[in-house]
Amino acid sequence: MKMTKLINCLFLGILATTYACNNVTKSNNEAVEVGPADNTAKVIVDTPTASLPSVQLPKEKPEEVRLDDHDNVDFERYHVDAAKVTQYAPINWASYPNAKDFKTRITEAYQTNEISFAGYYVVSVFGCGASCIMGFMIDVRDGKIYDLPLGEENSCLFAEDRAIGNLTSRLFIAGICKENPEDKKVYYRAYLWDEGKKEFEKVEAAAFLKKN
């Protein structure tokens, strides 16, 4: 009897051990839900802060600052007083008969323009072809007409400016010119008005340019 009980106990022990092993094997094959699915991967790396490589931007060229060519001209060196004139004398066509060929232009300028040269002269300037201008000036005191030193002989192909006068100066700049469009240097075609002789005389740039 004791032997039979012993055998039964051994048999039951074997069965219990087999059942436990099977459960362990099954548990290893079953999926275990640990929470809601989360596809976001968060990685924290503890490394020194890496600075981005510096990019050297091209330096901007400073804008070239150049005095205006007009600013270099010392009109004041040939100063004349400009009296206030309230009434212009009639145009004296007899003083310059050939000017009648431009009567419309001269008359219009005399009626609309202000005194702008050498104290007493109204200027009329107009085109005479490619790169060419011509003109006259009228003395408001007596209406007499005079040529301005313009025309083809004082024209330049690359002109920065032309026909520049000043109310209180005898200096007249016929043209500020360049030899080539790319040139930085300019040259001047300039004249001085002689009030006594009533004529223009050439003057070199050194006589009227400001000293730097």
Side-chain angles (χ1 to χ4, degrees):
M1 179 66 69
K2 289 181 179 181
M3 182 62 67
T4 301
K5 287 183 179 181
L6 180 60
I7 293 171
N8 288 338
C9 288
L10 290 173
F11 180 73
L12 290 175
I14 293 170
L15 287 178
T17 302
T18 302
Y19 180 77
C21 290
N22 287 340
N23 281 346
V24 170
T25 302
K26 288 181 180 180
S27 65
N28 290 337
N29 294 330
E30 290 179 356
V32 179
E33 185 176 357
V34 296
D38 186 358
N39 295 326
T40 303
K42 296 181 180 180
V43 180
I44 300 175
V45 181
D46 186 13
T47 58
T49 302
S51 59
L52 294 175
S54 60
V55 179
Q56 187 69 29
L57 296 177
K59 294 182 179 180
E60 294 184 2
K61 292 183 179 180
E63 185 178 353
E64 182 179 358
V65 178
R66 184 172 66 89
L67 286 177
D68 188 276
D69 297 314
H70 297 74
D71 295 334
N72 293 327
V73 178
D74 189 0
F75 285 100
E76 191 63 23
R77 191 176 300 179
Y78 303 99
H79 177 83
V80 296
D81 294 326
K84 186 174 181 180
V85 178
T86 58
Q87 186 174 359
Y88 293 1
I91 297 176
N92 184 351
W93 297 104
S95 67
Y96 196 151
N98 290 337
K100 288 184 179 181
D101 294 338
F102 309 97
K103 187 173 183 178
T104 300
R105 292 182 180 276
I106 294 173
T107 301
E108 182 179 337
Y110 196 59
Q111 292 175 347
T112 59
N113 294 353
E114 296 182 354
I115 300 170
S116 60
F117 179 66
Y120 296 99
Y121 296 90
V122 172
V123 172
S124 174
V125 177
F126 44 88
C128 56
S131 302
C132 174
I133 60 173
M134 64 178 296
F136 303 90
M137 64 182 194
I138 308 97
D139 190 336
V140 298
R141 295 167 294 184
D142 55 18
K144 289 184 178 180
I145 306 169
Y146 301 92
D147 268 322
L148 285 173
L150 298 170
E152 292 183 2
E153 65 273 19
N154 284 300
S155 65
C156 50
L157 189 57
F158 304 107
E160 293 292 287
D161 207 347
R162 297 178 288 182
I164 309 164
N166 188 290
L167 173 62
T168 58
S169 179
R170 296 187 296 114
L171 178 63
F172 184 83
I173 308 296
I176 302 176
C177 309
K178 289 183 176 181
E179 293 289 349
N180 297 290
E182 299 82 10
D183 290 348
K184 292 184 178 180
K185 291 184 177 180
V186 298
Y187 63 94
Y188 297 81
R189 297 188 186 276
Y191 293 82
L192 281 179
W193 174 248
D194 188 320
E195 183 65 28
K197 295 179 181 179
K198 297 292 185 182
E199 62 184 24
F200 284 98
E201 297 176 349
K202 283 187 178 181
V203 61
E204 297 299 323
F208 61 80
L209 289 181
K210 296 176 181 177
K211 307 296 182 182
N212 293 329

